[in-house]
Amino acid sequence: MPHRDPRHLAEGPRVGIRPFTLADGPEFTARARESKDLHRPWLFPPDSEQGYAEYAGRLIEDPARAGFLVCEKDGGAIAGFININNIVRGGFQCGALGYGAFAHAAGRGLMREGLDLVIGYAFGPLGLHRLEINVQPGNTASIALARGAGFRLEGFSADMIYIDGAWRDHERWALTTEMRAAG
């Protein structure tokens, strides 16, 4: 019988997803520091204990957010993270995804597997109908992940999000429950 980590909300062949905890701070911040070259200039995850505590605290406490750690089943190492931000209920039932792989896991398909698990969880237990990803046009790895997960390009927004001292252009990608069901 395959081992199932009781902390995982969902598992695939190589990874499981689980919520952030404050206890994950030391590993998360160490991995963030190791991954600065991979993340820049697109992403700035917290790399200090205080920064992590504030970041994880928002994901844990705010009902308009859901944070997931993508963990390798073999050994439990954190491979990356996927957050659903700006969750809107009512007639929308949508949220905006943000994600990042850590350097030791990049290029191994772990985030693709983790993203598929998060999508299933979002469209299942969370009851969302639509997920959106906003990606800077030059972030080819992030665009490939969105495209590979079945997201469709819906548009371009100039000066959309303030990142690293400037307003950055973004492509808008989306996936609905109907699109996922259609394959």
Side-chain angles (χ1 to χ4, degrees):
M1 180 110 186
H3 170 72
R4 174 147 166 53
D5 187 324
R7 297 175 302 166
H8 290 163
L9 300 169
E11 287 187 347
R14 298 181 298 152
V15 302
I17 57 168
R18 64 178 178 79
F20 278 71
T21 70
L22 294 177
D24 292 309
E27 181 183 0
F28 188 99
T29 56
R31 299 235 182 253
R33 288 188 299 273
E34 293 166 0
S35 304
K36 281 190 180 195
D37 289 343
L38 175 67
H39 293 156
R40 301 300 189 257
W42 322 112
L43 187 61
F44 298 84
D47 61 3
S48 70
E49 288 290 328
Q50 181 179 346
Y52 176 82
E54 293 169 4
Y55 174 77
R58 288 189 300 271
L59 291 168
I60 293 166
E61 299 296 328
D62 186 346
R65 299 175 192 231
F68 305 91
L69 296 173
V70 177
C71 300
E72 295 182 64
K73 285 173 60 176
D74 183 18
I78 300 172
F81 55 96
I82 302 171
N83 303 327
I84 306 174
N85 299 299
N86 305 321
I87 295 172
V88 179
R89 297 295 183 176
F92 284 106
Q93 297 300 333
C94 70
L97 292 176
Y99 47 77
F102 289 126
H104 77 282
R108 295 173 43 205
L110 301 176
M111 288 301 291
R112 175 65 186 89
E113 188 177 320
L115 181 56
D116 190 56
L117 294 171
V118 170
I119 292 167
Y121 192 81
F123 289 163
L126 287 180
L128 298 180
H129 172 260
R130 177 184 172 90
L131 293 170
E132 299 177 359
I133 298 173
N134 296 297
V135 183
Q136 292 180 62
N139 190 343
T140 56
S142 203
I143 290 169
L145 185 59
R147 183 178 286 122
F151 285 74
R152 71 176 171 225
L153 179 62
E154 290 194 330
F156 176 84
S157 297
D159 300 329
M160 182 179 184
I161 302 174
Y162 194 78
I163 299 173
D164 195 26
W167 289 99
R168 308 288 178 183
D169 298 342
H170 281 72
E171 293 180 0
R172 295 185 323 277
W173 294 77
L175 180 69
T176 64
T177 56
E178 293 84 2
M179 291 167 60
R180 183 163 166 98

Short mmCIF file of all heavy atoms in Angstrom, two decimals, residues 107-175:
data_model
loop_
_atom_site.label_atom_id
_atom_site.label_comp_id
_atom_site.label_asym_id
_atom_site.label_seq_id
_atom_site.Cartn_x
_atom_site.Cartn_y
_atom_site.Cartn_z
N GLY A 107 12.66 22.45 -12.91
CA GLY A 107 12.89 21.65 -14.11
C GLY A 107 12.64 20.16 -13.95
O GLY A 107 12.91 19.39 -14.87
N ARG A 108 12.09 19.74 -12.83
CA ARG A 108 11.87 18.31 -12.58
C ARG A 108 10.40 17.91 -12.71
O ARG A 108 10.05 16.77 -12.46
CB ARG A 108 12.39 17.94 -11.18
CG ARG A 108 13.89 18.11 -11.05
CD ARG A 108 14.41 17.91 -9.64
NE ARG A 108 13.83 16.79 -8.96
CZ ARG A 108 13.75 16.68 -7.63
NH1 ARG A 108 14.23 17.65 -6.85
NH2 ARG A 108 13.21 15.63 -7.06
N GLY A 109 9.52 18.85 -13.05
CA GLY A 109 8.11 18.54 -13.21
C GLY A 109 7.33 18.48 -11.92
O GLY A 109 6.14 18.17 -11.93
N LEU A 110 7.97 18.80 -10.80
CA LEU A 110 7.29 18.73 -9.51
C LEU A 110 6.24 19.81 -9.36
O LEU A 110 5.15 19.57 -8.81
CB LEU A 110 8.30 18.80 -8.37
CG LEU A 110 9.38 17.70 -8.37
CD1 LEU A 110 10.39 17.94 -7.25
CD2 LEU A 110 8.77 16.32 -8.26
N MET A 111 6.53 21.00 -9.84
CA MET A 111 5.55 22.09 -9.75
C MET A 111 4.37 21.84 -10.67
O MET A 111 3.24 22.16 -10.33
CB MET A 111 6.21 23.43 -10.06
CG MET A 111 7.14 23.91 -8.96
SD MET A 111 6.32 24.12 -7.36
CE MET A 111 5.28 25.53 -7.70
N ARG A 112 4.59 21.24 -11.81
CA ARG A 112 3.48 20.90 -12.71
C ARG A 112 2.53 19.92 -12.01
O ARG A 112 1.32 20.08 -12.05
CB ARG A 112 4.03 20.32 -14.01
CG ARG A 112 2.97 19.81 -14.97
CD ARG A 112 2.09 20.97 -15.47
NE ARG A 112 0.99 20.47 -16.26
CZ ARG A 112 -0.20 20.10 -15.76
NH1 ARG A 112 -0.44 20.16 -14.47
NH2 ARG A 112 -1.14 19.68 -16.55
N GLU A 113 3.11 18.94 -11.36
CA GLU A 113 2.29 17.98 -10.61
C GLU A 113 1.59 18.67 -9.44
O GLU A 113 0.41 18.44 -9.20
CB GLU A 113 3.19 16.84 -10.10
CG GLU A 113 2.43 15.70 -9.48
CD GLU A 113 3.35 14.56 -9.06
OE1 GLU A 113 4.31 14.24 -9.78
OE2 GLU A 113 3.10 13.99 -7.97
N GLY A 114 2.30 19.51 -8.74
CA GLY A 114 1.71 20.25 -7.61
C GLY A 114 0.60 21.18 -8.06
O GLY A 114 -0.44 21.30 -7.41
N LEU A 115 0.81 21.86 -9.20
CA LEU A 115 -0.22 22.77 -9.71
C LEU A 115 -1.48 21.99 -10.06
O LEU A 115 -2.59 22.44 -9.76
CB LEU A 115 0.30 23.54 -10.92
CG LEU A 115 -0.68 24.54 -11.55
CD1 LEU A 115 -1.17 25.56 -10.53
CD2 LEU A 115 -0.02 25.24 -12.74
N ASP A 116 -1.33 20.83 -10.64
CA ASP A 116 -2.50 20.01 -10.96
C ASP A 116 -3.26 19.64 -9.68
O ASP A 116 -4.50 19.67 -9.66
CB ASP A 116 -2.08 18.74 -11.71
CG ASP A 116 -3.27 18.00 -12.26
OD1 ASP A 116 -4.05 18.61 -13.02
OD2 ASP A 116 -3.42 16.81 -11.93
N LEU A 117 -2.55 19.33 -8.61
CA LEU A 117 -3.20 19.01 -7.33
C LEU A 117 -3.92 20.22 -6.75
O LEU A 117 -5.04 20.10 -6.24
CB LEU A 117 -2.17 18.48 -6.33
CG LEU A 117 -1.51 17.14 -6.69
CD1 LEU A 117 -0.36 16.85 -5.73
CD2 LEU A 117 -2.52 16.01 -6.69
N VAL A 118 -3.29 21.39 -6.82
CA VAL A 118 -3.93 22.61 -6.31
C VAL A 118 -5.17 22.95 -7.13
O VAL A 118 -6.20 23.32 -6.56
CB VAL A 118 -2.93 23.79 -6.28
CG1 VAL A 118 -3.65 25.11 -5.99
CG2 VAL A 118 -1.85 23.54 -5.22
N ILE A 119 -5.10 22.80 -8.44
CA ILE A 119 -6.27 23.07 -9.27
C ILE A 119 -7.41 22.13 -8.87
O ILE A 119 -8.56 22.57 -8.71
CB ILE A 119 -5.93 22.91 -10.77
CG1 ILE A 119 -4.97 24.02 -11.22
CG2 ILE A 119 -7.19 22.92 -11.62
CD1 ILE A 119 -4.33 23.77 -12.58
N GLY A 120 -7.11 20.86 -8.69
CA GLY A 120 -8.14 19.91 -8.27
C GLY A 120 -8.73 20.27 -6.93
O GLY A 120 -9.95 20.17 -6.72
N TYR A 121 -7.89 20.73 -6.01
CA TYR A 121 -8.37 21.12 -4.69
C TYR A 121 -9.21 22.40 -4.78
O TYR A 121 -10.25 22.52 -4.13
CB TYR A 121 -7.18 21.32 -3.74
CG TYR A 121 -7.60 21.44 -2.30
CD1 TYR A 121 -7.89 20.32 -1.54
CD2 TYR A 121 -7.72 22.68 -1.71
CE1 TYR A 121 -8.29 20.42 -0.22
CE2 TYR A 121 -8.13 22.81 -0.39
CZ TYR A 121 -8.41 21.67 0.35
OH TYR A 121 -8.81 21.78 1.66
N ALA A 122 -8.77 23.34 -5.60
CA ALA A 122 -9.50 24.61 -5.76
C ALA A 122 -10.88 24.37 -6.37
O ALA A 122 -11.87 24.94 -5.91
CB ALA A 122 -8.70 25.57 -6.62
N PHE A 123 -10.95 23.54 -7.39
CA PHE A 123 -12.22 23.27 -8.06
C PHE A 123 -13.05 22.24 -7.30
O PHE A 123 -14.24 22.12 -7.56
CB PHE A 123 -11.98 22.80 -9.49
CG PHE A 123 -11.48 23.89 -10.42
CD1 PHE A 123 -10.89 23.55 -11.62
CD2 PHE A 123 -11.60 25.23 -10.11
CE1 PHE A 123 -10.45 24.53 -12.51
CE2 PHE A 123 -11.15 26.22 -10.97
CZ PHE A 123 -10.57 25.86 -12.18
N GLY A 124 -12.45 21.52 -6.38
CA GLY A 124 -13.17 20.54 -5.56
C GLY A 124 -13.55 21.13 -4.21
O GLY A 124 -14.51 21.91 -4.11
N PRO A 125 -12.79 20.81 -3.16
CA PRO A 125 -13.15 21.25 -1.80
C PRO A 125 -13.31 22.76 -1.62
O PRO A 125 -14.16 23.19 -0.85
CB PRO A 125 -12.00 20.72 -0.94
CG PRO A 125 -11.50 19.52 -1.68
CD PRO A 125 -11.65 19.87 -3.15
N LEU A 126 -12.52 23.58 -2.33
CA LEU A 126 -12.67 25.03 -2.18
C LEU A 126 -13.87 25.58 -2.95
O LEU A 126 -14.31 26.70 -2.70
CB LEU A 126 -11.41 25.77 -2.62
CG LEU A 126 -10.21 25.68 -1.68
CD1 LEU A 126 -9.03 26.47 -2.24
CD2 LEU A 126 -10.55 26.16 -0.29
N GLY A 127 -14.39 24.84 -3.89
CA GLY A 127 -15.59 25.24 -4.61
C GLY A 127 -15.41 26.39 -5.58
O GLY A 127 -16.39 27.06 -5.93
N LEU A 128 -14.19 26.63 -6.05
CA LEU A 128 -13.97 27.71 -7.01
C LEU A 128 -14.36 27.26 -8.41
O LEU A 128 -14.37 26.06 -8.72
CB LEU A 128 -12.52 28.18 -6.98
CG LEU A 128 -12.04 28.75 -5.64
CD1 LEU A 128 -10.58 29.17 -5.75
CD2 LEU A 128 -12.91 29.91 -5.19
N HIS A 129 -14.70 28.23 -9.25
CA HIS A 129 -15.08 27.97 -10.63
C HIS A 129 -14.00 28.40 -11.61
O HIS A 129 -13.87 27.84 -12.70
CB HIS A 129 -16.39 28.71 -10.96
CG HIS A 129 -16.74 28.65 -12.40
ND1 HIS A 129 -16.49 29.69 -13.28
CD2 HIS A 129 -17.30 27.67 -13.14
CE1 HIS A 129 -16.89 29.35 -14.49
NE2 HIS A 129 -17.39 28.14 -14.44
N ARG A 130 -13.19 29.38 -11.23
CA ARG A 130 -12.22 29.97 -12.15
C ARG A 130 -10.93 30.30 -11.39
O ARG A 130 -10.98 30.80 -10.27
CB ARG A 130 -12.81 31.24 -12.76
CG ARG A 130 -11.90 32.02 -13.67
CD ARG A 130 -12.61 33.31 -14.11
NE ARG A 130 -11.73 34.19 -14.83
CZ ARG A 130 -11.57 34.18 -16.14
NH1 ARG A 130 -12.24 33.33 -16.89
NH2 ARG A 130 -10.75 35.03 -16.73
N LEU A 131 -9.80 30.03 -12.03
CA LEU A 131 -8.50 30.42 -11.52
C LEU A 131 -7.81 31.27 -12.56
O LEU A 131 -7.92 31.00 -13.77
CB LEU A 131 -7.64 29.19 -11.20
CG LEU A 131 -8.12 28.32 -10.06
CD1 LEU A 131 -7.33 27.02 -10.00
CD2 LEU A 131 -8.02 29.07 -8.73
N GLU A 132 -7.09 32.29 -12.10
CA GLU A 132 -6.36 33.17 -13.00
C GLU A 132 -4.90 33.20 -12.60
O GLU A 132 -4.57 33.05 -11.42
CB GLU A 132 -6.94 34.58 -12.94
CG GLU A 132 -8.39 34.64 -13.36
CD GLU A 132 -9.00 36.03 -13.23
OE1 GLU A 132 -8.30 36.96 -12.79
OE2 GLU A 132 -10.19 36.16 -13.56
N ILE A 133 -4.04 33.38 -13.58
CA ILE A 133 -2.60 33.54 -13.35
C ILE A 133 -2.18 34.79 -14.12
O ILE A 133 -2.48 34.92 -15.31
CB ILE A 133 -1.80 32.33 -13.86
CG1 ILE A 133 -2.20 31.05 -13.12
CG2 ILE A 133 -0.30 32.58 -13.72
CD1 ILE A 133 -1.57 29.78 -13.67
N ASN A 134 -1.50 35.70 -13.46
CA ASN A 134 -0.95 36.89 -14.09
C ASN A 134 0.56 36.74 -14.13
O ASN A 134 1.19 36.59 -13.09
CB ASN A 134 -1.35 38.15 -13.31
CG ASN A 134 -2.84 38.34 -13.34
OD1 ASN A 134 -3.42 38.54 -14.40
ND2 ASN A 134 -3.48 38.26 -12.20
N VAL A 135 1.12 36.77 -15.36
CA VAL A 135 2.53 36.45 -15.56
C VAL A 135 3.19 37.56 -16.37
O VAL A 135 2.65 37.98 -17.41
CB VAL A 135 2.69 35.12 -16.32
CG1 VAL A 135 4.16 34.76 -16.47
CG2 VAL A 135 1.94 34.00 -15.65
N GLN A 136 4.38 37.97 -15.94
CA GLN A 136 5.15 38.92 -16.74
C GLN A 136 5.54 38.24 -18.06
O GLN A 136 5.94 37.07 -18.07
CB GLN A 136 6.38 39.38 -15.98
CG GLN A 136 6.02 40.25 -14.77
CD GLN A 136 7.24 40.72 -14.03
OE1 GLN A 136 8.07 41.42 -14.58
NE2 GLN A 136 7.35 40.33 -12.76
N PRO A 137 5.41 38.94 -19.19
CA PRO A 137 5.64 38.32 -20.50
C PRO A 137 6.99 37.63 -20.67
O PRO A 137 7.08 36.65 -21.40
CB PRO A 137 5.50 39.49 -21.47
CG PRO A 137 4.61 40.46 -20.76
CD PRO A 137 4.96 40.32 -19.30
N GLY A 138 8.01 38.09 -20.01
CA GLY A 138 9.33 37.46 -20.15
C GLY A 138 9.56 36.25 -19.28
O GLY A 138 10.59 35.57 -19.40
N ASN A 139 8.61 35.92 -18.44
CA ASN A 139 8.77 34.79 -17.51
C ASN A 139 8.33 33.50 -18.22
O ASN A 139 7.24 32.98 -17.99
CB ASN A 139 7.97 35.04 -16.24
CG ASN A 139 8.27 34.04 -15.15
OD1 ASN A 139 8.82 32.98 -15.39
ND2 ASN A 139 7.88 34.39 -13.93
N THR A 140 9.19 33.00 -19.08
CA THR A 140 8.83 31.87 -19.93
C THR A 140 8.54 30.60 -19.14
O THR A 140 7.67 29.82 -19.53
CB THR A 140 9.93 31.60 -20.97
OG1 THR A 140 11.17 31.40 -20.31
CG2 THR A 140 10.04 32.77 -21.94
N ALA A 141 9.24 30.37 -18.03
CA ALA A 141 8.98 29.16 -17.24
C ALA A 141 7.58 29.20 -16.63
O ALA A 141 6.86 28.19 -16.63
CB ALA A 141 10.04 29.01 -16.15
N SER A 142 7.18 30.34 -16.14
CA SER A 142 5.86 30.49 -15.53
C SER A 142 4.76 30.37 -16.59
O SER A 142 3.72 29.76 -16.35
CB SER A 142 5.77 31.83 -14.81
OG SER A 142 4.79 31.81 -13.83
N ILE A 143 4.99 30.93 -17.76
CA ILE A 143 4.03 30.82 -18.85
C ILE A 143 3.90 29.37 -19.29
O ILE A 143 2.79 28.86 -19.52
CB ILE A 143 4.41 31.74 -20.02
CG1 ILE A 143 4.21 33.21 -19.60
CG2 ILE A 143 3.62 31.41 -21.28
CD1 ILE A 143 4.79 34.23 -20.56
N ALA A 144 5.02 28.66 -19.38
CA ALA A 144 4.98 27.25 -19.76
C ALA A 144 4.20 26.43 -18.74
O ALA A 144 3.45 25.52 -19.12
CB ALA A 144 6.40 26.70 -19.93
N LEU A 145 4.35 26.74 -17.46
CA LEU A 145 3.61 26.02 -16.43
C LEU A 145 2.11 26.28 -16.57
O LEU A 145 1.31 25.34 -16.52
CB LEU A 145 4.10 26.44 -15.03
CG LEU A 145 3.51 25.69 -13.85
CD1 LEU A 145 3.78 24.19 -13.94
CD2 LEU A 145 4.08 26.25 -12.55
N ALA A 146 1.73 27.53 -16.79
CA ALA A 146 0.31 27.86 -16.97
C ALA A 146 -0.26 27.16 -18.20
O ALA A 146 -1.32 26.53 -18.15
CB ALA A 146 0.13 29.37 -17.08
N ARG A 147 0.44 27.25 -19.30
CA ARG A 147 -0.02 26.63 -20.55
C ARG A 147 -0.12 25.11 -20.39
O ARG A 147 -1.11 24.50 -20.80
CB ARG A 147 0.93 26.98 -21.69
CG ARG A 147 0.49 26.44 -23.03
CD ARG A 147 1.43 26.84 -24.17
NE ARG A 147 1.22 28.23 -24.50
CZ ARG A 147 2.18 29.16 -24.47
NH1 ARG A 147 3.41 28.85 -24.12
NH2 ARG A 147 1.91 30.40 -24.80
N GLY A 148 0.88 24.50 -19.77
CA GLY A 148 0.90 23.05 -19.58
C GLY A 148 -0.23 22.56 -18.69
O GLY A 148 -0.66 21.41 -18.81
N ALA A 149 -0.73 23.42 -17.81
CA ALA A 149 -1.82 23.05 -16.92
C ALA A 149 -3.19 23.30 -17.55
O ALA A 149 -4.21 23.08 -16.92
CB ALA A 149 -1.70 23.81 -15.60
N GLY A 150 -3.20 23.79 -18.80
CA GLY A 150 -4.46 23.99 -19.50
C GLY A 150 -5.03 25.39 -19.43
O GLY A 150 -6.15 25.63 -19.92
N PHE A 151 -4.31 26.34 -18.86
CA PHE A 151 -4.78 27.72 -18.82
C PHE A 151 -4.74 28.31 -20.23
O PHE A 151 -3.87 27.97 -21.02
CB PHE A 151 -3.91 28.56 -17.87
CG PHE A 151 -4.16 28.32 -16.42
CD1 PHE A 151 -3.73 27.15 -15.81
CD2 PHE A 151 -4.83 29.26 -15.65
CE1 PHE A 151 -3.97 26.92 -14.46
CE2 PHE A 151 -5.08 29.04 -14.31
CZ PHE A 151 -4.65 27.86 -13.71
N ARG A 152 -5.69 29.19 -20.51
CA ARG A 152 -5.71 29.87 -21.81
C ARG A 152 -5.31 31.33 -21.61
O ARG A 152 -5.66 31.95 -20.61
CB ARG A 152 -7.08 29.77 -22.46
CG ARG A 152 -8.13 30.61 -21.77
CD ARG A 152 -9.49 30.58 -22.48
NE ARG A 152 -10.46 31.24 -21.62
CZ ARG A 152 -11.66 30.79 -21.37
NH1 ARG A 152 -12.07 29.67 -21.90
NH2 ARG A 152 -12.47 31.46 -20.58
N LEU A 153 -4.61 31.87 -22.59
CA LEU A 153 -4.25 33.28 -22.58
C LEU A 153 -5.49 34.10 -22.88
O LEU A 153 -6.16 33.88 -23.88
CB LEU A 153 -3.17 33.56 -23.62
CG LEU A 153 -2.70 35.00 -23.74
CD1 LEU A 153 -2.06 35.49 -22.45
CD2 LEU A 153 -1.71 35.12 -24.91
N GLU A 154 -5.80 35.04 -21.99
CA GLU A 154 -7.00 35.86 -22.16
C GLU A 154 -6.71 37.31 -22.47
O GLU A 154 -7.59 38.03 -22.90
CB GLU A 154 -7.88 35.77 -20.91
CG GLU A 154 -8.53 34.42 -20.75
CD GLU A 154 -9.65 34.43 -19.74
OE1 GLU A 154 -9.60 35.25 -18.79
OE2 GLU A 154 -10.58 33.64 -19.89
N GLY A 155 -5.49 37.75 -22.20
CA GLY A 155 -5.23 39.15 -22.50
C GLY A 155 -3.91 39.65 -21.95
O GLY A 155 -3.11 38.90 -21.39
N PHE A 156 -3.72 40.95 -22.11
CA PHE A 156 -2.51 41.63 -21.68
C PHE A 156 -2.91 42.87 -20.89
O PHE A 156 -3.81 43.60 -21.30
CB PHE A 156 -1.70 42.05 -22.92
CG PHE A 156 -0.48 42.84 -22.61
CD1 PHE A 156 0.70 42.20 -22.26
CD2 PHE A 156 -0.50 44.22 -22.66
CE1 PHE A 156 1.84 42.93 -21.97
CE2 PHE A 156 0.63 44.96 -22.37
CZ PHE A 156 1.81 44.31 -22.02
N SER A 157 -2.25 43.08 -19.78
CA SER A 157 -2.51 44.25 -18.95
C SER A 157 -1.20 45.02 -18.75
O SER A 157 -0.27 44.51 -18.12
CB SER A 157 -3.08 43.84 -17.59
OG SER A 157 -4.32 43.20 -17.74
N ALA A 158 -1.16 46.22 -19.28
CA ALA A 158 0.02 47.07 -19.10
C ALA A 158 0.06 47.61 -17.67
O ALA A 158 -0.98 47.92 -17.08
CB ALA A 158 -0.03 48.23 -20.10
N ASP A 159 1.25 47.70 -17.13
CA ASP A 159 1.47 48.30 -15.80
C ASP A 159 0.50 47.74 -14.76
O ASP A 159 -0.10 48.48 -13.98
CB ASP A 159 1.33 49.82 -15.87
CG ASP A 159 2.33 50.45 -16.83
OD1 ASP A 159 3.43 49.90 -16.98
OD2 ASP A 159 2.00 51.49 -17.42
N MET A 160 0.37 46.43 -14.67
CA MET A 160 -0.67 45.80 -13.85
C MET A 160 -0.30 45.66 -12.38
O MET A 160 -1.12 45.92 -11.51
CB MET A 160 -1.01 44.43 -14.42
CG MET A 160 -2.10 43.73 -13.65
SD MET A 160 -2.46 42.15 -14.39
CE MET A 160 -3.83 41.66 -13.38
N ILE A 161 0.93 45.17 -12.10
CA ILE A 161 1.30 44.85 -10.71
C ILE A 161 2.63 45.51 -10.39
O ILE A 161 3.57 45.47 -11.20
CB ILE A 161 1.40 43.32 -10.50
CG1 ILE A 161 0.07 42.64 -10.84
CG2 ILE A 161 1.80 43.00 -9.05
CD1 ILE A 161 0.12 41.12 -10.81
N TYR A 162 2.71 46.09 -9.20
CA TYR A 162 3.94 46.76 -8.75
C TYR A 162 4.89 45.71 -8.18
O TYR A 162 4.61 45.09 -7.16
CB TYR A 162 3.59 47.80 -7.69
CG TYR A 162 4.69 48.77 -7.39
CD1 TYR A 162 4.96 49.83 -8.25
CD2 TYR A 162 5.48 48.62 -6.25
CE1 TYR A 162 5.98 50.73 -7.97
CE2 TYR A 162 6.49 49.52 -5.97
CZ TYR A 162 6.75 50.57 -6.85
OH TYR A 162 7.76 51.46 -6.58
N ILE A 163 6.02 45.48 -8.87
CA ILE A 163 7.00 44.48 -8.48
C ILE A 163 8.39 45.08 -8.59
O ILE A 163 8.73 45.68 -9.62
CB ILE A 163 6.92 43.22 -9.37
CG1 ILE A 163 5.54 42.56 -9.25
CG2 ILE A 163 8.02 42.22 -9.03
CD1 ILE A 163 5.31 41.41 -10.21
N ASP A 164 9.18 44.93 -7.56
CA ASP A 164 10.58 45.34 -7.58
C ASP A 164 10.76 46.78 -8.04
O ASP A 164 11.60 47.09 -8.87
CB ASP A 164 11.39 44.37 -8.45
CG ASP A 164 12.89 44.51 -8.23
OD1 ASP A 164 13.31 44.94 -7.12
OD2 ASP A 164 13.66 44.21 -9.17
N GLY A 165 9.92 47.67 -7.51
CA GLY A 165 10.10 49.09 -7.74
C GLY A 165 9.48 49.66 -9.00
O GLY A 165 9.72 50.82 -9.33
N ALA A 166 8.70 48.87 -9.74
CA ALA A 166 8.09 49.39 -10.96
C ALA A 166 6.77 48.66 -11.26
O ALA A 166 6.57 47.53 -10.83
CB ALA A 166 9.03 49.23 -12.15
N TRP A 167 5.90 49.34 -11.99
CA TRP A 167 4.66 48.71 -12.46
C TRP A 167 5.02 47.84 -13.65
O TRP A 167 5.64 48.31 -14.61
CB TRP A 167 3.64 49.78 -12.84
CG TRP A 167 3.12 50.46 -11.62
CD1 TRP A 167 3.51 51.68 -11.11
CD2 TRP A 167 2.13 49.96 -10.72
NE1 TRP A 167 2.82 51.95 -9.95
CE2 TRP A 167 1.95 50.90 -9.70
CE3 TRP A 167 1.36 48.79 -10.69
CZ2 TRP A 167 1.06 50.73 -8.66
CZ3 TRP A 167 0.46 48.61 -9.65
CH2 TRP A 167 0.32 49.58 -8.65
N ARG A 168 4.63 46.56 -13.59
CA ARG A 168 5.03 45.58 -14.60
C ARG A 168 3.82 45.13 -15.43
O ARG A 168 2.74 44.92 -14.91
CB ARG A 168 5.65 44.35 -13.94
CG ARG A 168 6.76 44.64 -12.96
CD ARG A 168 8.01 45.09 -13.64
NE ARG A 168 9.02 45.40 -12.61
CZ ARG A 168 10.20 45.87 -12.87
NH1 ARG A 168 10.55 46.12 -14.12
NH2 ARG A 168 11.05 46.12 -11.90
N ASP A 169 4.07 44.95 -16.74
CA ASP A 169 3.08 44.38 -17.63
C ASP A 169 2.88 42.91 -17.29
O ASP A 169 3.81 42.23 -16.84
CB ASP A 169 3.55 44.47 -19.09
CG ASP A 169 3.76 45.89 -19.57
OD1 ASP A 169 3.24 46.83 -18.93
OD2 ASP A 169 4.44 46.06 -20.60
N HIS A 170 1.67 42.41 -17.54
CA HIS A 170 1.36 41.00 -17.28
C HIS A 170 0.43 40.45 -18.35
O HIS A 170 -0.42 41.16 -18.87
CB HIS A 170 0.70 40.82 -15.92
CG HIS A 170 1.65 40.84 -14.78
ND1 HIS A 170 2.27 42.00 -14.35
CD2 HIS A 170 2.10 39.85 -13.98
CE1 HIS A 170 3.07 41.71 -13.34
NE2 HIS A 170 2.98 40.41 -13.10
N GLU A 171 0.64 39.17 -18.66
CA GLU A 171 -0.32 38.42 -19.45
C GLU A 171 -1.31 37.81 -18.47
O GLU A 171 -0.93 37.41 -17.37
CB GLU A 171 0.38 37.30 -20.24
CG GLU A 171 1.29 37.79 -21.31
CD GLU A 171 1.96 36.65 -22.07
OE1 GLU A 171 1.71 35.46 -21.75
OE2 GLU A 171 2.74 36.95 -22.98
N ARG A 172 -2.58 37.71 -18.89
CA ARG A 172 -3.61 37.12 -18.05
C ARG A 172 -4.00 35.76 -18.61
O ARG A 172 -4.42 35.64 -19.76
CB ARG A 172 -4.83 38.03 -17.97
CG ARG A 172 -4.55 39.36 -17.28
CD ARG A 172 -5.80 40.21 -17.09
NE ARG A 172 -6.74 40.15 -18.19
CZ ARG A 172 -6.66 40.86 -19.31
NH1 ARG A 172 -5.67 41.72 -19.46
NH2 ARG A 172 -7.57 40.75 -20.26
N TRP A 173 -3.85 34.72 -17.78
CA TRP A 173 -4.18 33.35 -18.14
C TRP A 173 -5.31 32.89 -17.22
O TRP A 173 -5.38 33.30 -16.07
CB TRP A 173 -2.96 32.46 -17.96
CG TRP A 173 -1.84 32.77 -18.91
CD1 TRP A 173 -0.97 33.81 -18.83
CD2 TRP A 173 -1.52 32.06 -20.09
NE1 TRP A 173 -0.10 33.78 -19.90
CE2 TRP A 173 -0.41 32.71 -20.67
CE3 TRP A 173 -2.05 30.92 -20.70
CZ2 TRP A 173 0.18 32.25 -21.85
CZ3 TRP A 173 -1.45 30.46 -21.87
CH2 TRP A 173 -0.35 31.13 -22.44
N ALA A 174 -6.20 32.03 -17.73
CA ALA A 174 -7.33 31.58 -16.91
C ALA A 174 -7.69 30.13 -17.22
O ALA A 174 -7.42 29.61 -18.32
CB ALA A 174 -8.54 32.47 -17.13
N LEU A 175 -8.32 29.50 -16.23
CA LEU A 175 -8.82 28.13 -16.34
C LEU A 175 -10.13 28.07 -15.57
O LEU A 175 -10.22 28.61 -14.46
CB LEU A 175 -7.81 27.15 -15.74
CG LEU A 175 -8.17 25.67 -15.77
CD1 LEU A 175 -8.15 25.12 -17.19
CD2 LEU A 175 -7.18 24.88 -14.89
#
